[in-house]
Amino acid sequence: MDRGRQVFLVRHGEADYDRLSAFAPVYHGGRRDFAPLTDLGVRQAEGAAELLRDARPEVVVASPYARTLQTAALIAARLGCELRVEPALHDWLPVRDGAASVTGETVRQKIEEYEAWSRSGLLPPDRTWETDEDMAARVREAVSRHVTPGPLVVVTHEAVIKSATGADVVDLASVHRLTR
């Protein structure tokens, strides 16, 4: 990452998972990532845009999930920025193999493994998920692909922002500087 460039990480606004229930079972499980923002989530995204206005970003880059894309589109429209999609900005995955069957039980187990590792530092030999260091490296690499003369806004997910910044708390539509 270019040390002189400002990079702002923004968590998406509140997602409306309930809105998908009308389409059950189509949008269960991993397909929840198609959820749009709630009305509050839209207002949160607009608030994030106002917080970023003085930075004068030129480009907004988003994770490919609906909640991040909608947040990024609202920010880009408010600030007159170019909008780009970056697949590498995806959320933490409990199983990185996209061909593997992932059940709710699998997700629960992998989250427990991740949290145990976070407390102990001991990696399970058969882990299927990214460590914080893996996520932070993925973010830095993704950011490096989006060269802009001015500030860059990256809209992504809580775990990704925590790993990249070391923040303990990442509220919905909060703005964080990427400095590492």
Side-chain angles (χ1 to χ4, degrees):
M1 185 177 91
D2 175 8
R3 295 275 179 219
R5 179 169 67 151
Q6 288 184 306
V7 177
F8 298 94
L9 300 179
V10 179
R11 183 177 176 197
H12 58 80
E14 180 182 76
D16 192 353
Y17 299 112
D18 292 339
R19 194 160 158 202
L20 297 180
S21 63
F23 302 98
V26 173
Y27 289 118
H28 285 178
R31 293 182 179 170
R32 288 172 33 109
D33 294 326
F34 291 111
L37 298 179
T38 62
D39 291 341
L40 173 60
V42 169
R43 290 191 304 276
Q44 290 168 333
E46 291 168 345
E50 292 311 312
L51 290 173
L52 292 161
R53 184 171 297 285
D54 288 343
R56 300 168 123 23
E58 298 183 11
V59 174
V60 178
V61 182
S63 158
Y65 296 20
R67 61 191 180 268
T68 52
L69 284 169
Q70 188 177 3
T71 300
L74 290 163
I75 292 170
R78 279 250 165 155
L79 301 179
C81 297
E82 176 186 350
L83 175 61
R84 299 177 186 170
V85 178
E86 173 56 63
L89 294 173
H90 64 79
D91 205 350
W92 178 82
L93 298 175
V95 178
R96 289 188 278 181
D97 180 356
S101 174
V102 179
T103 65
E105 178 61 18
T106 302
V107 171
R108 187 191 63 70
Q109 289 173 347
K110 299 306 178 179
I111 290 172
E112 284 179 10
E113 280 180 19
Y114 174 83
E115 289 173 347
W117 164 73
S118 292
R119 290 187 302 275
S120 71
L122 300 173
L123 277 175
D126 59 346
R127 76 176 167 91
T128 59
W129 39 267
E130 294 174 294
T131 64
D132 292 338
E133 292 80 12
D134 294 336
M135 280 189 285
R138 175 167 52 87
V139 169
R140 284 190 302 274
E141 185 178 323
V143 165
S144 73
R145 285 193 288 273
H146 296 277
V147 177
T148 62
L152 176 69
V153 174
V154 174
V155 182
T156 189
H157 308 271
E158 178 182 25
V160 176
I161 295 171
K162 282 182 172 182
S163 70
T165 66
D168 292 325
V169 176
V170 178
D171 293 325
L172 291 168
S174 56
V175 177
H176 306 262
R177 283 184 189 258
L178 181 62
T179 57
R180 320 195 226 177

